[in-house]
């Protein structure tokens, strides 16, 4: 069972925007201050790709070059909620987007360090 749950995917036109959200699927799941929360994506026939991550402690944020300047990751620690605002969407952004949690607080870009995942939400960008 996935410990995290994503919402907000769907269909957008090129140049459009979508918002994704992620919260724990169980009330008992706590996101501790040393955790890193991130978004990954996987397009059909491609490997999983890092998108963006945020430190739960100090709100430091990192982005992949492919989304920098277009996407914005944010968190509301008090609500245990993670968000991804996606602007200027392009067809190449089409993928299943996953929320993930890295308890180690290290290796921001390494998917193997993320031990908790959501089931994913489909984002399709098409005219």
């Amino acid at each position: 069972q996935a410990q995290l749950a994503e919402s907000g995917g769907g269909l957008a036109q090129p140049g459009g925007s979508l918002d994704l959200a992620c919260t724990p699927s169980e009330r008992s799941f706590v996101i501790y201050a040393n955790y890193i929360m991130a978004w990954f994506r996987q397009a059909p026939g491609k490997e999983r790709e890092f998108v963006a991550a945020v430190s739960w402690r100090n709100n430091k944020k990192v982005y992949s070059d492919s989304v920098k300047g277009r996407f914005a990751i944010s968190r509301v620690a008090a609500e245990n909620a993670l968000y991804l605002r996606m602007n200027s969407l392009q067809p190449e952004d089409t993928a299943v987007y996953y929320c993930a949690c890295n308890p180690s607080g290290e290796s921001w870009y390494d998917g193997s360090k993320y031990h908790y995942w959501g089931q994913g939400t489909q984002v399709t960008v098409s005219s």
Side-chain angles (χ1 to χ4, degrees):
Q1 180 179 354
Q3 293 85 1
L4 302 168
E6 304 92 343
S7 61
L11 175 65
Q13 292 188 339
S17 299
L18 281 175
D19 293 310
L20 304 183
C22 171
T23 56
S25 55
E26 298 179 356
R27 293 175 65 90
S28 60
F29 187 92
V30 177
I31 302 175
Y32 292 100
N34 60 305
Y35 287 7
I36 296 170
M37 296 294 294
W39 292 96
F40 287 79
R41 66 186 182 185
Q42 187 166 21
K46 294 188 177 181
E47 293 187 352
R48 184 177 60 196
E49 175 189 19
F50 172 85
V51 175
V54 60
S55 164
W56 217 247
R57 184 188 304 278
N58 59 20
N59 205 30
K60 173 184 174 181
K61 302 169 185 178
V62 297
Y63 297 90
S64 69
D65 288 342
S66 61
V67 307
K68 194 176 298 181
R70 300 188 299 123
F71 291 11
I73 190 171
S74 62
R75 59 122 167 88
V76 179
E79 298 176 359
N80 259 4
L82 179 73
Y83 301 97
L84 185 69
R85 172 71 172 179
M86 303 183 293
N87 295 319
S88 302
L89 283 164
Q90 300 301 320
E92 52 265 34
D93 295 316
T94 295
V96 177
Y97 283 70
Y98 296 91
C99 170
C101 175
N102 174 351
S104 76
E106 301 174 347
S107 303
W108 291 56
Y109 303 91
D110 184 355
S112 69
K113 299 297 184 182
Y114 289 80
H115 294 176
Y116 307 106
W117 293 81
Q119 291 186 330
T121 185
Q122 177 69 46
V123 170
T124 301
V125 184
S126 175
S127 56

